Structures are given as structure tokens and as C-alpha cells.
Amino acid sequence: MRSAPGHFSDTLLVAKLLGDPAGTVRGKPALRSYFAKGLAAAPDLRFELLDVFAGVSSVAVHLRSSVRGLQLEVMELDTDGRITSVLVHHRDP
């Protein structure tokens, strides 16, 4: 969890988050807090990578969460390859 925020831009926006009334997280400090809360609620959380789709300045990751099931995360990248925004899509269980 400590190294993951290094992959994100300082201006990060993550949208469609569970357990967050606004459904969004802005910035690395808020992302760290979101990760910490999620791991505290589901310490055995696991992801199975199903597929990855590359775009010009984005990547989409299809995965299965041990908590939420199937999901697709679309990440936009800046010119340095850091994630600037993430759109999280999931099916309700």
C-alpha cells in the first residue's frame, strides 16, 4: 500500500468508489486513507487479473475482486505515465 500511491499523479481523481458518499477521492492523501479503510474492512481482499487493455493515454484493467466480484478500472495516464484519474465500474453483487 505504501508504494501504490507513487503510481498516481498528485492531482488524482478516482470516481465510483464504494463506501464514499461522494463516490470520489481526490489526491494522494485521500487515496491512502481510502486504501487503509478498505483493507481494514476486508483484510483478506484479493484481486484476480483477468485482462488488460492498453490505449494511447489510458489502460483498462478487468479483474475479479474477492469482495465485489467483476470490475473494470479505466485509468488515464499523464505524460510521465502516472495515473491521473480512475473510473471504477462494477456489477452489484
Side-chain angles (χ1 to χ4, degrees), residues 11-87:
T11 60
L12 169 72
L13 168 65
V14 180
K16 186 63 173 145
L17 296 174
L18 298 172
D20 184 287
T24 60
V25 165
R26 292 180 187 276
K28 288 183 186 181
L31 180 65
R32 283 187 189 96
S33 175
Y34 177 78
F35 282 166
K37 287 177 191 174
L39 290 173
D44 294 328
L45 177 65
R46 298 285 179 263
F47 294 100
E48 174 189 358
L49 180 63
L50 301 175
D51 213 339
V52 176
F53 303 88
V56 174
S57 60
S58 64
V59 63
V61 179
H62 186 209
L63 52 95
R64 184 182 324 274
S65 160
S66 61
V67 173
R68 294 295 303 177
L70 291 176
Q71 54 186 76
L72 181 68
E73 297 189 7
V74 179
M75 294 164 254
E76 292 182 301
L77 309 173
D78 66 15
T79 57
D80 294 322
R82 291 179 304 205
I83 301 166
T84 59
S85 69
V86 182
L87 300 174

